[in-house]
Amino acid sequence: MPTTSIMPIIKVPDPILRQRALPVSEITDGTRQLIEDMVATMYDAPGIGLAAPQVNIGQRIIVMDCGKKEEPNLIQMINPEITGISEAHTVLEEGCLSIPDQTADVERPAEVEVKYLNQDGMSQSLVATGLLAACVQHEIDHLNGVLFIDHISRLKRDMILRRVMKELRKSTVDK
Ligand code: NI
């Protein structure tokens, strides 16, 4: 039986979060295992989305589940690309496993079309609205070294980063 492992989640200010991830050129059993591990890590956190750079892997892979507890909706994407966005924008509160315990309102296109490969290398497309639209844009941002705090004012961003650094220092002293 295949086993999965929970991977450590990289937090700000680690520079890996600011690097551009590389496309997956060949989907191997290793790729599929990595995706399984990312899914397990996301559910364990718990979170609704996770991008490979957040587990220290510079590859263009994201996993998401914006479904409800009774109705999970696991989506796994390799080399995702936004191919269309709506003119209408919407504001949703976002958080990030790499920026623990912080949230902010982020404005993004309300609807996006995404093309990607599944674990078998088949080309897929998805039109996302609502929470899933925000989630898929947030996760694709991670592949480009972009964080949700880059979409808010400098004042709010600095405030969030200051809070995270303070917590980080506290937890280092506690250990
Ligand atoms: Ni995130």
Side-chain angles (χ1 to χ4, degrees), residues 49 54 95-98 138-139 142 147-148:
Q54 293 182 275
C96 182
L97 295 174
S98 295
H138 175 122
E139 299 312 328
H142 273 300
L147 302 171
F148 82 88

Side-chain angles (χ1 to χ4, degrees), residues 17-43:
L17 295 170
R18 292 308 194 173
Q19 284 164 21
R20 202 182 154 79
L22 298 173
V24 177
S25 52
E26 193 191 352
I27 299 167
T28 62
D29 286 344
T31 314
R32 284 180 278 268
Q33 181 66 50
L34 168 64
I35 292 172
E36 291 304 310
D37 291 346
M38 285 175 60
V39 168
T41 303
M42 173 182 73
Y43 284 134

Side-chain angles (χ1 to χ4, degrees), residues 18-148:
R18 292 308 194 173
Q19 284 164 21
R20 202 182 154 79
L22 298 173
V24 177
S25 52
E26 193 191 352
I27 299 167
T28 62
D29 286 344
T31 314
R32 284 180 278 268
Q33 181 66 50
L34 168 64
I35 292 172
E36 291 304 310
D37 291 346
M38 285 175 60
V39 168
T41 303
M42 173 182 73
Y43 284 134
D44 176 72
I48 60 170
L50 188 71
Q54 293 182 275
V55 288
N56 212 2
I57 306 284
Q59 294 184 31
R60 303 188 79 82
I61 298 172
I62 61 176
V63 299
M64 292 161 290
D65 191 338
C66 294
K68 298 189 178 74
K69 206 174 175 190
E70 323 79 64
E71 209 181 318
N73 181 26
L74 178 62
I75 300 174
Q76 301 149 87
M77 296 182 170
I78 299 168
N79 299 342
E81 245 179 274
I82 293 175
T83 50
I85 57 170
S86 63
E87 246 172 68
H89 279 58
T90 186
V91 175
L92 279 175
E93 190 180 47
E94 295 188 19
C96 182
L97 295 174
S98 295
I99 310 174
D101 303 321
Q102 305 299 320
T103 59
D105 284 342
V106 178
E107 184 182 333
R108 299 182 187 270
E111 193 176 313
V112 289
E113 186 190 43
V114 183
K115 286 208 162 64
Y116 62 98
L117 301 177
N118 69 12
Q119 300 97 297
D120 302 316
M122 309 267 280
S123 182
Q124 311 279 310
S125 81
L126 172 83
V127 173
T129 59
L131 179 61
L132 183 58
C135 189
V136 73
Q137 292 176 80
H138 175 122
E139 299 312 328
I140 291 174
D141 269 357
H142 273 300
L143 304 181
N144 299 322
V146 174
L147 302 171
F148 82 88

